[in-house]
Amino acid sequence: MSKTIAQNLADQLTAWGVKFIFGTAGDTILPFLDCLSRHTIRFVQFRNEDSAAYAASAYAKVTGELGVVLGHGGPGASHLINGLADAFLDKVPVLAITGQVESMYIGTNHKQYINQQQLLGAVTLRTENLDAPTSLLPVVANLIRTAISMSGPVHISIPKDYWQQPDDTVVI
């Protein structure tokens, strides 16, 4: 049986040593949260993305490891700014993962669409929107390498309709 994008992302994060993901729930990330409920990575639920992003930054500062924050798309992504700015200014590696509207609505006036790359570009070393489901693993690997080697936060937004798509690529 094929793995999904959500499962491959969780497996890749595990391969990079991620033990915790701090975040909030939202409909653009529900398939990933469902996957995490059966995975070894522990999801630490917060009331809002602000607190979750600060927690990921603090985790990176205290442990020296990659902090990971997960946020809902749209307004949820905007609430990551302060925590990511904290990681940016203190030069600690954080990976921010956000949901996004369905791929067909990117660049439109669809409800809750925000150009997250433009929004978070000022507080991250690099930000990417996943343009094709099959490019997930190399994009995430490059983002994590950037976060660790350059000591700062990075970001990826994943369209809602990609999470459950099959992906037979091998974790990098």
Side-chain angles (χ1 to χ4, degrees), residues 52-155:
Y54 274 115
S57 180
Y59 178 84
K61 290 174 193 177
V62 171
T63 65
E65 298 173 7
L66 178 70
V68 181
V69 62
L70 177 65
H72 178 45
S78 69
H79 289 281
L80 296 174
I81 292 173
N82 290 333
L84 293 178
D86 181 70
F88 187 82
L89 293 172
D90 286 345
K91 300 182 187 291
V92 294
V94 171
L95 171 64
I97 303 166
T98 57
Q100 179 57 284
V101 297
E102 292 86 348
S103 57
M104 66 187 273
Y105 295 121
I106 292 176
T108 69
N109 289 328
H110 188 71
K111 180 182 176 185
Q112 296 209 348
Y113 169 73
I114 293 175
N115 182 331
Q116 296 177 21
Q117 284 57 55
Q118 188 175 27
L119 178 71
L120 299 176
V123 294
T124 58
L125 298 172
R126 189 168 154 208
T127 175
E128 298 286 340
N129 182 64
L130 187 64
D131 292 328
T134 55
S135 65
L136 174 80
L137 297 179
V139 169
V140 171
N142 285 332
L143 285 170
I144 292 173
R145 285 185 192 107
T146 299
I148 293 169
S149 67
M150 297 180 67
S151 299
V154 294
H155 166 253

Side-chain angles (χ1 to χ4, degrees), residues 14-91:
T14 299
W16 279 94
V18 172
K19 298 173 194 80
F20 300 96
I21 295 178
F22 308 95
T24 60
D27 72 318
T28 60
I29 54 173
L30 287 179
F32 187 55
L33 289 173
D34 180 53
C35 173
L36 289 177
S37 72
R38 295 179 304 280
H39 208 274
T40 58
I41 296 174
R42 181 172 171 222
F43 178 69
V44 182
Q45 174 72 41
F46 280 79
R47 287 185 182 213
N48 56 57
E49 290 87 353
D50 292 304
S51 299
Y54 274 115
S57 180
Y59 178 84
K61 290 174 193 177
V62 171
T63 65
E65 298 173 7
L66 178 70
V68 181
V69 62
L70 177 65
H72 178 45
S78 69
H79 289 281
L80 296 174
I81 292 173
N82 290 333
L84 293 178
D86 181 70
F88 187 82
L89 293 172
D90 286 345
K91 300 182 187 291

